[in-house]
Amino acid sequence: YIRTRISSRAWCDLHPELLSEIAESLGIIDLLGFRGVCKDWRSASFTASASIESTSRDSKLYFLLHNDRDENTILFNPTINKNYTINIPELKEATCLASTQGWLLISQRGNLFFFCPFSRVKIDLPPIQGLENTPAAAAAFTSPPSSIDCVTAIIYKKNDDIVEVNVLERGASMWIKYEYDLKLNQKSFGDAKCATFQQGCLYMMDGFKKLLTFTLEDKSFEMFLVIEQSKDPNLETLSFRYKDKLFSRSNLKKQMNLGDDVTITTCGATYFGSDLEVLIHNENIEAMEGTNAQHFKGIWIQPRFFQLPPNYSWSL
């Protein structure tokens, strides 16, 4: 009787400090399960972020699949080839514009907000009029949205001749709009497929190896062509790596047991590789011709967990 009683109480009586250490060592799926055990365990895991999965050298991004019809999403871990179903109502009728360090920048029915899908933390942003009618947009942010120095940019083509960049600094209540006139500068640029910030400069890439930069300090644009390999010592080298068609090349559609009738629009991500930041392009995967296509949206995401104080606001 004594042995049974001690055994049955052991886990419940663990010291909060020890529970916190355990929580800090868990990956995202185990952390979500840990937090669901009881109130004390949830409280002890307040500072846990599942960062162990993002800092491991051989870690891979997860892939989050959702659609506009229901609130259930599929989280796929490519490392162990396993699907998880998670209810995330915030992603219904939503489009992800950027994914960095576990944070998503979401556009949903005219609303903009930062969102951590695993902790459900949400930071509302001022809206951009007309953004919901834009067929293709990309975005980037300089640092986590909880940082006081976070700067966010959303990029899209206003029309065939104008690339529009909307910039929002932490604490600001309005976006500042900047335009690059392709016709005036005799340049061409397709829809933005990805974007990233590097040392105060916004890099935007289309699907044709065109690179448009915007410097925050002097608000100037410059256009480049990305060349895969060159022996010219005078050419500049990108300060990041990029990957296009990652979903297709990884054969994720088959791994996730998705049918030939599935169309997927993906949101890329940025993450830190072994030496440089890695930038993943947005991608469109079409259904097999002749099928009644089901449309899904996908997000490459680092499995991180963040918590913020109640009523946390973008304003300072």
Side-chain angles (χ1 to χ4, degrees):
Y1 170 77
I2 293 176
R3 283 199 300 269
T4 303
R5 185 172 178 81
I6 292 175
S7 177
S8 64
R9 293 186 57 188
W11 288 104
C12 298
D13 291 342
L14 283 178
H15 223 267
E17 288 80 4
L18 181 56
L19 286 172
S20 296
E21 288 187 24
I22 295 172
E24 290 286 354
S25 68
L26 298 177
I28 190 64
I29 299 300
D30 290 332
L31 178 59
L32 293 176
F34 182 96
R35 289 176 52 80
V37 171
C38 65
K39 183 179 179 180
D40 288 342
W41 285 35
R42 176 181 289 268
S43 177
S45 62
F46 183 80
T47 61
S49 65
S51 60
I52 187 171
E53 288 185 295
S54 299
T55 55
S56 173
R57 179 166 292 185
D58 59 351
S59 66
K60 293 184 179 180
L61 298 179
Y62 280 36
F63 191 78
L64 189 61
L65 190 73
H66 65 105
N67 60 49
D68 291 338
R69 299 181 302 276
D70 59 56
E71 299 177 352
N72 285 332
T73 66
I74 297 174
L75 180 67
F76 179 69
N77 181 351
T79 303
I80 59 176
N81 199 33
K82 187 172 182 179
N83 285 331
Y84 303 91
T85 300
I86 303 178
N87 184 266
I88 308 178
E90 291 86 353
L91 291 182
K92 185 179 180 181
E93 299 183 59
T95 298
C96 184
L97 304 178
S99 173
T100 303
Q101 299 180 49
W103 284 103
L104 308 180
L105 179 55
I106 299 293
S107 172
Q108 183 188 56
R109 298 189 293 270
N111 298 314
L112 284 169
F113 55 91
F114 281 110
F115 182 56
C116 176
F118 306 115
S119 65
R120 311 284 279 276
V121 166
K122 182 179 176 183
I123 305 175
D124 291 317
L125 300 177
I128 297 177
Q129 188 174 4
L131 178 63
E132 65 273 16
N133 300 320
T134 305
F141 41 101
T142 58
S143 54
S146 55
S147 303
I148 60 173
D149 60 348
C150 179
V151 178
T152 306
I154 296 179
I155 310 101
Y156 59 88
K157 291 188 73 174
K158 185 177 180 179
N159 52 48
D160 290 340
D161 297 328
I162 302 295
V163 178
E164 185 170 305
V165 176
N166 292 272
V167 177
L168 183 72
E169 295 185 0
R170 178 67 196 276
S173 59
M174 292 183 61
W175 295 82
I176 300 176
K177 179 174 65 176
Y178 302 91
E179 293 184 347
Y180 181 76
D181 193 319
L182 296 167
K183 188 175 182 179
L184 180 64
N185 290 279
Q186 298 182 336
K187 302 290 185 180
S188 64
F189 190 79
D191 290 329
K193 292 292 185 181
C194 57
T196 185
F197 275 105
Q198 298 283 319
Q199 297 180 343
C201 184
L202 174 64
Y203 292 79
M204 301 158 274
M205 290 187 70
D206 69 2
F208 306 99
K209 300 297 193 322
K210 297 289 183 64
L211 176 69
L212 181 62
T213 65
F214 175 77
T215 307
L216 290 176
E217 185 176 359
D218 58 16
K219 311 298 187 290
S220 63
F221 288 93
E222 196 168 359
M223 183 77 76
F224 300 90
L225 178 65
V226 178
I227 300 174
E228 296 289 345
Q229 293 182 344
S230 175
K231 296 181 180 179
D232 188 346
N234 297 316
L235 291 180
E236 295 184 43
T237 301
L238 288 175
S239 57
F240 58 89
R241 303 184 190 278
Y242 70 91
K243 295 182 179 181
D244 59 354
K245 300 180 180 179
L246 180 61
F247 186 95
S248 302
R249 297 179 195 275
S250 303
N251 200 21
L252 244 63
K253 199 171 185 181
K254 182 177 180 180
Q255 292 185 54
M256 296 179 68
N257 298 315
L258 300 174
D260 293 331
D261 60 342
V262 170
T263 296
I264 306 173
T265 302
T266 74
C267 175
T270 57
Y271 66 96
F272 294 104
S274 56
D275 53 349
L276 294 173
E277 186 176 72
V278 180
L279 180 59
I280 299 175
H281 282 212
N282 299 346
E283 190 176 353
N284 293 319
I285 298 92
E286 299 294 336
M288 181 179 290
E289 189 175 347
T291 60
N292 186 16
Q294 304 180 64
H295 184 71
F296 287 84
K297 300 173 183 178
I299 305 167
W300 291 102
I301 183 172
Q302 285 181 291
R304 299 294 299 275
F305 188 95
F306 300 105
Q307 295 192 85
L308 295 175
N311 302 318
Y312 192 83
S313 172
W314 175 256
S315 60
L316 296 173

